[in-house]
Amino acid sequence: MSLPFYQKLHQHYDSSYRNKDLRTTMSHYQQEKKSSAIYTHGSTAYSSRSSAAHRQESEAFSQASAASYQQQASRATASTHASAASRKTASAYDYGYSHGLTDSSLMLEDYSSKLSPQPKRAKKSLLSGEEKENLPSDYMVPIFSGRQVHVSGITDTEEERIKEAAAYIAQRNLLASEEGIIASKQSTASRQSTASKQSAVSKQSAVSKHSTASKESVVSKHSAVSKRSTASQESTSSLHQEEAFEKKSRKVAIREKAERLSLTKTLEETEAFHRKLNEDHLLHAPEFVIKPRSHTVWEKENVKLHCSVSGWPEPRVTWYKNQVPINVHANPGKYIIESRYGMHTLEINACNFEDTAQYRASAMNVKGELSAYASVVVKRYKGEFDETRFHAGVSTLPLSFAVTPYGYASKFEIHFDDKFDVSFGREGETMSLGCRVVITPEIKHFQPEIQWYRNGAPVSPSKWVQTHWSGDRATLTFSHLNKEDEGLYTIRVRMGEYYEQYSAYVFVRDADAEIEGAPAAPLDVMCLDANKDYIIISWKQPAVDGGSPILGYFIDKCEVGTDSWSQCNDTPVKFARFPVTGLIEGRSYIFRVRAVNKTGIGLPSRVSEPVAALDPAEKARLKSRPSAPWTGQIIVTEEEPSEGIVPGPPTDLSVTEATRSYVVLSWKPPGQRGHEGILYFVEKCDAETENWQRVNTELPVKSPRFALFDLAEGKSYRFRVRCSNSAGVGEPSEATEVTVVGDKLDIPKAPGKIIPSRNTDTSVVVSWEESKDAKELVGYYIESSVVGSGKWEPCNNNPVKGPRFTCHGLATGQSYIFRVRAVNAAGLSEYSQDSEAIEVKAAIAAPSPPYDITCLESCRDSMVLGWKQPDKSGGAEITGYYVNYREVIDGVPGRWREANIKAVSDEAYKISNLKENMVYQFQVAAMNIAGLGVPSAVSACFKCEEWTIAVPGPPHSVKCSEVRKTSLVLQWRPPIHSGRTPVTGYFVDLKEASAKDDQWRGLNEAAIKNTYLRVQGLKEGASYVFRVRAINQAGVGKPSDLAGPVVAETRPGTKEVVVNVDDDGVISLNFECDQMTPNSQFNWSKDYVSTEGSPRLDVESKGNKTKMTFKDLGTEDIGIYSCDVTDTDGIASSYLIDEDELKRLLALSQEHKFPIVPVKSELAVEILEKGQVRFWMQAEKLSANTKVTYIFNDKEIFEGPKYKMHVDRNTGIIEMFMEKLQDEDEGTYTFQLQDGKAVGHSTLVLIGDVYKKLQKEAEFQRQEWIRKQGPHFAEYLSWEVTGDCNVLLKCKVANIKKETHIVWYKDEREISVDEKHDFKDGICTLLITEFSKKDAGIYEVILKDDRGKDKSRLKLVDEAFKELMTEVCKTIALSATDLKIQSTAEGIRLYSFVTYYLDDLKVNWSHNGTAIKYTDRVKSGVTGEQIWLQINEPTPNDKGKYVMELFDGKTGHQKTVDLSGQAYDEAFAEFQRLKQAAIAEKNRARVLGGLPDVVTIQEGKALNLTCIVWGDPTPEVSWLKNEKPLVTDDHCSVKFEAGKTAYFTISGVSTADSGKYGLVVKNKYGSEISDFTISVFIPEEEARKATEQPQKGNKKSK
């Protein structure tokens, strides 16, 4: 047996119970931060009630459910209401129902500081009207809003929790006893009796539900008794029912039993899930019975805010100040919060100015949250207002302002700064729109509501667009621009009930095509219809087709969650809608579209939103899938479950859409279809036959819609549909009307009457007549083209609706034409006719009001008024003014009257026919071609009376122009009233704008006659005001109105008038302005009087440039020429032509009229290396047309063997070459130039000595060239003195090789050179050390090899030698060291060292500036390389400065030393010491000679030694032997005679006398020892030793 349809629909209720959409019932209140508060679940009073009691009640309920079928049907009526109530049960009691009320605890999220300030709105139905129609007629879709998350502890006190628990138990008992199912068929009277009993039980349970917590036990017992009684009654009814069944047929009995079992199973499932979810209908969201009221109090007073809230469970109230929760503990004594008997109070003690804020009471329970607002304004007594403590931006507000429900101020002023302008982007780029929002007054912690709109529709954040609010700047950012983003963007800033908005258009251009010439991407891809079998996709055609018509579109699909795109159609479709088939039921897809033309396929569109392949009814069921088993309505019929019913025919079959590619059918399901689902088969036949063919044989249709393809275009068809199920195929539906395959939707007609109109200087407004009879019109595309270009550009890439569009991004001053075409799903219309050409200029508006109305003259019946022209001309020249006047009697003004019917052109007007002594007021309005502007402000009161003053009236129309950082030009008009005598001049005064009136100072001491003055010497950046006074013979009149303030500055981009003289000598003044508006004009003047119509001048203006040309500049044209630019902020410049400038311009003009070719270098001649002669000149520049003529002695010469000519036009060099100069070449050479009408020439005269010298030089260079063909000297022989004072002869050689030899000669004698020359560096040298006179002579060096030879000679004799010696001496002198002081035994010596000394170097000494005279005591000399001055026996007179001068023959080189002071003292002391040492050394005792070093003597011989000693005084003499005093005796005696001779005698020498002896001489100056050694030998021993010595040698040899 197949399952009933309602069980099929709910077989997956577990997954729907966990559905994300259904798990967000309380998501509005869930926040990230969790509280640490723990609430006790239930109370001890009910802790004894366990899960066992619930199980007993569940069993009783199950027994009641198993009663007879009729009794179940009877009870279903009451059960319906219980089911509805159960769906409202709060999820806060889920946990208690399934587990009982125990003393468990649960952590609960704290929402007190995170809830939204807005009241929660009632939820809308999840089903649309169309989806409800598609539901089965007998099936009620249950909508659940339950939550699995358990919520408890929303109240604080134990008493409140007891109330919650009691209400919960009463509700649970009610649901347990009332749950049932409705039956459509009514039973017998016995069933009605049972139903009435059941109804009584239901009412009794309902009463028990509202009982208090104190009666909970009684209610629980009574509810249990009621349940048991009901169960016994149901059991008895069941017995009677079984007896009744026995009398029925077996077939009926089996059927009823099967349905009872099915219903019993459903009830058991219902009971199980109600233990998890049981929404109590007693719960309801908070509601404010009494809202808090706003208060305005004085400072230091107390204020109380009251509110009363209803709701169940009892709401919890939290107070906020400026959206921040109030913490009582953080400010002890400041706030008192109380909640008694449903009344909630916030008391603020000792209010101060910081308490001015917005307060919110937030009431919350498990059913929702609601807020109420009130404002508190704290006022301060007058004189005690402290601005420093008030919020920034609010301190300027009055102290008593009204309070709105949204804030404090009675009105907010919202301004936009730094606004985004019309923007242009390209597909794929990023863009950001933003502006700064300034809100006055600024309220702390109160942020505005920022809303963005595109074409009037709100913009929601998505992956394509994000919004941001930084506190003062709102930004809309596009991460990836698409053409769908094009449109008019509006930012709306709302503060309470006040808002302001600003709009600007965003244009998105197409991205660059991957294939040149391919069409642009389509846009706005979306799903129109979706079901199990197909999804209809629609899009908008692009504005750019790539240059060739679009052949059609390809649709691509991609399953959500994958990256694989597949093409849906094989051939392009032209219609902008297409049904996509071949989808998998239940899966979601995204789509994109690509356009194709003959060039290729364009870029894909932006992907669509995901869409599921499901029927609308199935979508609604999935969206609203309940979180508990189905508890809706079931209609039981008499049909047999085992026997299927063949479905009836579908109804309302129709063709909903027909194109040349497909046809879409739709119908309604049949009323007769049985329990199981049905499928559909679609049939078609030709309109003229009855031959029906089934279309979907292989794939039955599941949805009541179907798309047919592969139909012959232009052919007529009829369609019908059959239903099918397991019982069979039903009858067909009624056939449709005849349908012709083709586009039912026609392409719209072209729009008409394209009218462009001026808007701004970069935009044009285009309007048109909409296409007639256009169906499903998507919008219009507008294109523009510069006149004459033939190239059309799209103005919009997203179709616009309506007959008007502003085209931006146009070039100022260009002329454009426009065309429009319409678009719908069928395609794009033909282009409209081209519009008339229009120049892009700003639209003309009426001028602004004039200002500063003054009375310039007054008579008995007339007055002359003056005023200043409007600041804004409205984009067109002001054509005139209209003056109105009215009488003022006793301060009461009368009605206005017109003073002039015809407009006046000047800023002054005389009003006649006035009343004498009457007071009048005036106003002036300006006019241009756009119309009359707004009148000026009403003037001051002027009395019409005769002016009798003798002095002139005030000048008027004073204005400043040509403002620069240090100067400006002041202009004015003469006074209307000149006084009794004519005006003779003017005085100009100025002062800084901020200066007082007593600080005016005059600019001119003498009156000036001109009505203008150039003011010089201004301080840059300072602001000035000016006034002008007129003077006549009677005196100085009253001053004019002030001109200014004007800041002395040169604005960026300021340009000046430039004078120019063209090639024809025409003189002109030129001016350029980059800040012109489309309506600006150039006005030239001379001496500030307009030059319009002057016969001497021509003015030509084009674009932003103007030129004034002088026809014949002369002395009458001397003056100041100025150019003003209208409709700008005073842009002007001037140029002075005085006598000197006039002369310069006339001379320059003459040069340009009769031009000459400017010559940079005159004709010159030079000799080249081979002796060639080059004639050349250089012009400043030469054009390609320059012609050069060469003249020699008045005859033209031409290029040939003798002459070679060359012209370089890039450098301007003109050359002529000759191989050699001969005698006949003497004469005059001329080069003549002609470049257009410019001519020039240059001449060179070569005659006489000049020519001969040139000829000789040429021959020399020729010989030099020949010489250089072999080895030669690049630099001839020369000398150089080295740092060592040696002479180096050197030369540089070139063109040498290995075989080249070099030989040196002196005086024709070869000089032998030890070293072989190395020519690597090309330098040959000969070093002469210590050069002197002997080295004088003629030096020669010769180079030679097989190619030839060259020689170089250097004469070092006579003057050349002297010059060399001078250089050598100079080098020696420069090598001299500083003078040093040396003490000697004879005196003091001053000396210096040189490298070496030559006699040619003269040495002179001076002392204290006087040359020293040399004597025996003072001597000078040279010893080696030392030059010295010896001062013997110095005295104090020798102190002073000594100078040694070395004279090299030309220059003297000095060395100085100071011999005085300490230097002299130290030197003299050292001299004394050395002198004494010399004396001592001279007179000390010493041995002069006579003693040998060794004395060898034979034994027995006598030894006599004699020596001479000297010393003064006579020295003492003593002898030593072996370093001991010698003891004399007869054997050894000594003797000293005459003080200088000493004798040493040994009479008979023996071996004992051998040893070391010494003679010691000594006196007071010193002593000296002279040692000698005595060696005594015996002859016999010597002989024996001699004989032994050979024997020893023989032994060794052996």
Side-chain angles (χ1 to χ4, degrees), residues 166-215:
Y168 159 70
I169 294 174
Q171 175 69 2
R172 188 205 62 187
N173 293 339
L174 176 63
L175 292 172
S177 61
E178 289 185 343
E179 194 64 53
I181 298 178
I182 299 175
S184 62
K185 186 175 181 181
Q186 297 298 325
S187 187
T188 60
S190 62
R191 299 175 193 164
Q192 294 176 356
S193 175
T194 305
S196 63
K197 294 178 181 179
Q198 184 64 34
S199 176
V201 175
S202 176
K203 292 179 179 179
Q204 193 173 12
S205 298
V207 172
S208 65
K209 186 187 292 185
H210 294 284
S211 62
T212 62
S214 61
K215 298 179 181 180

Side-chain angles (χ1 to χ4, degrees), residues 18 94 157 184 274 296 463 549 600 965 1234 1263 1335 1542 1561:
R18 294 187 296 270
D94 294 345
T157 63
S184 62
H274 268 286
T296 301
K463 67 177 180 179
K965 62 182 180 181
Q1234 184 172 0
Q1263 295 299 325
D1335 297 313
V1561 292

